[in-house]
């Protein structure tokens, strides 16, 4: 990897992104293009005709798209960027190797842009990264700081008809806000001035490796913003000098604490206790105690970036959320359909807890985001679902998402269902996703909430919309 080619301004450089439609690659392509780079790319989803609107949005930015057959990689001057999931046998990578193109991973390129910025703000943790990133970005934008924001989800505040897939914001100010991924170990590349650590729990890696990765990340920062409600995160913060840490918490005393939380089905409010001030009322347009925690993290990070506390509090009330994060698709026949990114035990628990704060049965369609994660998370996933599902809730698991390549199928959806059935929960394995969706629509009755859950597959949003239409047609 010739990292020298990645340093300095990107304007005028030629980039080819393999897997350009991915949740991590699309915003990166947007930022590169917005900074004057010549960007092209390919994607298996484009070749398969999945989510064409997403690729239309890239073309509208002047980004050229090619089949994933090597035809777009034509010059040694192109910097070819691919995520860790792209195998060396993919035709574009074969062409890049033949031509001698500079190669880089997505994380290498993103971390280079991040580290070169005047005020790099990194958001890490097993859950809540995208929401906190969006919240910080919105506060800084509202405060006139003109940030660049790199997110793995569409930020509703910045989405409009000309930019329907607004998972990035291109600004000219000092802040560069980015969620930072630990799943491939690339978190080690980032050098944040402000580092947020939401939580540490199982998802892609074992707990010892996660401790090491997250500890290294927050140790680099001038200010680490850490969640005291999470024991693992709190333990990592305790190893840092107190002058380098600002804490937040819902359940514990912290530098930024929430009291008197009042939940609504799609909103929340609380009193903020911070910096020795009297209680400050905060209103959120997103629901759940987990989003109260996310808001505390975002406010603390914004204050560390120099935003006055009162300005940050006022701005957070205008944050309208992210797509696929407890996203109400609509209601029909007295049934609400919600699209959600929940895919690991913490995220799933937060969504179920938020819904169970109000009456109504839950009908969950959970598509696991891969066979590997299912193997790693099996015990914790079954434990969480077994504890959180009510006796009349229904959970249907189709087979895990699979977009090609080699994969070991040691633990399957059927295994999870068998474990949950043995624990007395109404869990069902329906291999075909469309059949699983049809089963839940047929079963739904007035007052139910249908939730579509899963990651690494943006056709889940289309599925949720189709389920809503099926409910409407049913009358």
């Amino acid at each position: 990897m010739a990292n020298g080619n990645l340093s300095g301004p990107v304007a005028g450089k030629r980039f080819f992104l393999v897997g350009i439609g991915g949740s991590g690659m699309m915003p990166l392509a947007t930022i590169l293009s917005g900074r004057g780079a010549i960007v092209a790319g390919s994607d298996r989803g484009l070749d398969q005709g999945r989510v064409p609107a997403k690729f239309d949005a890239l073309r509208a930015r002047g980004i050229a798209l090619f089949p994933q057959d090597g035809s777009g990689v034509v010059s040694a001057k192109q910097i070819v960027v691919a995520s860790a999931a792209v195998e060396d046998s993919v035709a574009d990578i074969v062409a890049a190797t033949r031509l001698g193109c500079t190669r880089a991973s997505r994380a290498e390129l993103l971390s280079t842009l991040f580290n070169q910025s005047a005020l790099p703000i990194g958001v890490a943790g097993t859950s809540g990264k995208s929401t906190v990133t969006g919240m910080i970005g919105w506060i800084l934008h509202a405060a006139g700081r003109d940030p660049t924001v790199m997110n793995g989800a569409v930020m509703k505040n910045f989405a409009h008809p000309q930019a329907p897939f607004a998972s990035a914001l291109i600004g000219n100010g000092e802040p560069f806000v980015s969620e930072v991924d630990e799943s491939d170990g690339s978190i080690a590349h980032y050098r944040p001035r402000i580092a947020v650590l939401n939580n540490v729990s199982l998802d892609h890696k074992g707990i010892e490796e996660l401790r090491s990765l997250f500890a290294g990340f927050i140790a680099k920062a001038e200010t680490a913003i850490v969640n005291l409600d999470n024991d693992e995160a709190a333990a990592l913060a305790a190893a840092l000098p107190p002058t380098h840490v600002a804490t937040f918490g819902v359940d514990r005393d912290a530098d930024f604490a929430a009291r008197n939380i009042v939940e609504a089905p799609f909103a929340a409010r609380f009193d903020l206790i911070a910096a020795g001030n009297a209680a400050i009322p905060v209103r959120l347009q997103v629901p759940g105690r987990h989003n109260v925690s996310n808001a505390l993290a975002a406010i603390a990070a914004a204050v560390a970036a120099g935003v006055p506390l009162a300005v940050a509090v006022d701005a957070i009330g205008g944050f309208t959320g992210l797509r696929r994060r407890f996203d109400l698709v609509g209601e029909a026949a007295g049934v609400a359909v919600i699209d959600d990114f929940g895919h690991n035990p913490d995220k799933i628990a937060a969504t179920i807890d938020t819904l169970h704060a109000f009456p109504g049965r839950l009908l969950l369609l959970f598509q696991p985001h891969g066979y590997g994660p299912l193997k790693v998370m099996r015990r914790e996933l079954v434990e969480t679902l077994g504890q959180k599902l009510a006796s009349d809730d229904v959970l249907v698991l189709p087979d895990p998402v699979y977009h090609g390549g080699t994969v070991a199928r040691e633990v399957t959806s059927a295994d999870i269902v068998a474990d949950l059935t043995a624990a007395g929960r109404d869990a069902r394995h329906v291999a075909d996703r469309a059949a699983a969706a049809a089963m839940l629509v047929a079963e739904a009755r007035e007052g139910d909430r249908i939730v579509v859950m899963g990651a690494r597959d943006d056709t889940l949003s289309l599925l949720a919309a189709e389920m809503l239409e099926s409910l409407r047609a049913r009358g």
Side-chain angles (χ1 to χ4, degrees):
M1 305 278 179
N3 275 322
N5 287 5
L6 301 183
S7 60
V10 299
K13 291 182 179 177
R14 297 177 62 185
F15 292 89
F16 189 92
L17 275 59
V18 185
I20 196 168
S23 63
M25 293 289 258
M26 189 171 178
L28 183 56
T30 302
I31 290 170
L32 290 170
S33 176
R35 292 187 169 185
I38 301 160
V39 183
S42 67
D43 196 277
R44 196 154 38 195
L46 174 69
D47 296 347
Q48 295 169 355
R50 294 202 309 267
V51 199
K54 179 169 63 175
F55 298 105
D56 290 342
L58 286 168
R59 290 190 188 97
R61 290 185 173 275
I63 294 170
L65 299 178
F66 294 85
Q68 203 168 84
D69 59 5
S71 60
V73 182
V74 294
S75 167
K77 293 181 179 178
Q78 288 172 292
I79 300 168
V80 176
V81 185
S83 70
V86 175
E87 296 162 323
D88 286 345
S89 58
V90 170
D92 292 334
I93 303 302
V94 173
T97 303
R98 185 181 72 249
L99 291 167
C101 298
T102 295
R103 291 266 310 278
S105 69
R106 183 193 74 88
E108 283 175 316
L109 179 53
L110 174 58
S111 61
T112 299
L113 296 174
F114 179 87
N115 294 339
Q116 289 174 352
S117 68
L119 180 55
I121 303 171
V123 182
T126 316
S127 303
K129 290 189 292 289
S130 298
T131 298
V132 173
T133 299
M135 285 177 165
I136 296 170
W138 175 247
I139 293 171
L140 293 172
H141 174 80
R145 298 289 294 275
D146 197 16
T148 293
V149 184
M150 165 79 192
N151 208 328
V154 174
M155 297 172 282
K156 292 182 183 179
N157 286 97
F158 301 119
H160 53 83
Q162 284 69 48
F165 295 89
S167 53
L169 183 68
I170 303 129
N172 294 310
E174 291 189 343
F176 190 120
V177 189
S178 180
E179 64 170 288
V180 175
D181 189 13
E182 81 288 348
S183 65
D184 58 0
S186 63
I187 189 172
H189 296 312
Y190 294 81
R191 297 192 300 274
R193 281 240 327 260
I194 299 169
V196 179
L197 179 56
N198 284 338
N199 40 55
V200 182
S201 61
L202 280 179
D203 191 343
H204 303 89
K205 293 184 176 295
I207 200 71
E208 287 297 334
E209 188 175 358
L210 289 174
R211 286 173 183 149
S212 174
L213 288 169
F214 288 131
F217 177 70
I218 61 174
K220 296 173 188 172
E222 291 177 12
T223 305
I225 314 292
V226 184
N227 182 6
L228 285 189
D229 293 330
N230 181 262
D231 290 340
E232 290 284 350
L236 295 180
L240 297 177
T243 52
H244 288 243
V245 180
T247 59
F248 66 94
V250 171
D251 297 320
R252 299 182 186 176
D253 290 332
D255 298 319
F256 293 79
R259 298 291 180 267
N260 304 320
I261 298 170
V262 178
E263 296 187 59
F266 292 94
R269 67 179 193 268
F270 64 95
D271 289 335
L272 171 65
I273 311 296
N277 291 309
I280 303 170
V282 181
R283 291 182 176 273
L284 302 178
Q285 295 187 55
V286 288
R289 291 174 67 87
H290 63 295
N291 273 322
V292 172
S293 180
N294 289 337
L296 293 173
I299 291 168
V303 168
V307 176
L309 180 61
V311 173
V313 167
D314 184 59
I316 198 77
F319 177 73
T320 51
L322 306 179
R323 296 246 177 90
R324 300 221 64 234
R325 302 308 191 273
F326 206 93
D327 196 1
L328 178 64
V329 182
E331 296 185 53
V335 179
V337 178
I338 295 164
D339 186 20
D340 190 68
F341 190 65
H343 63 279
N344 65 36
D346 276 4
K347 288 184 172 77
I348 291 169
T351 295
I352 293 175
D353 283 347
T354 300
L355 287 161
H356 275 160
F358 301 93
R361 189 173 61 143
L362 306 186
L363 306 182
L364 305 178
L365 187 151
F366 170 43
Q367 177 181 272
H369 61 296
Y371 289 93
L374 210 52
K375 180 182 177 183
V376 171
M377 297 186 299
R378 178 177 183 171
R379 183 176 63 81
E380 289 78 10
L381 193 59
V382 169
E383 190 175 280
T384 296
L385 287 166
Q387 289 174 355
K388 297 295 183 181
L389 290 172
S391 58
D392 59 346
D393 292 340
V394 178
L395 172 69
V396 179
L397 271 77
D399 285 342
V401 63
Y402 174 68
H403 292 317
T406 55
V407 62
R409 306 187 182 201
E410 295 174 45
V411 177
T412 68
S413 295
D415 294 321
I416 304 300
V417 165
D419 292 348
L420 286 167
T421 302
R425 291 291 172 257
D426 187 348
R428 310 169 191 180
H429 173 227
V430 180
D432 178 70
R433 193 176 78 177
M439 173 187 286
L440 287 187
V441 168
E443 183 139 338
R445 57 178 185 258
E446 187 172 351
D448 286 349
R449 284 80 54 82
I450 290 177
V451 189
V452 175
M453 298 178 117
R456 294 184 184 168
D457 184 355
D458 42 18
T459 65
L460 285 169
S461 294
L462 303 179
L463 180 72
E466 289 164 5
M467 293 173 79
L468 180 64
E469 287 306 313
S470 296
L471 285 166
R472 285 178 177 149
R474 200 181 73 178

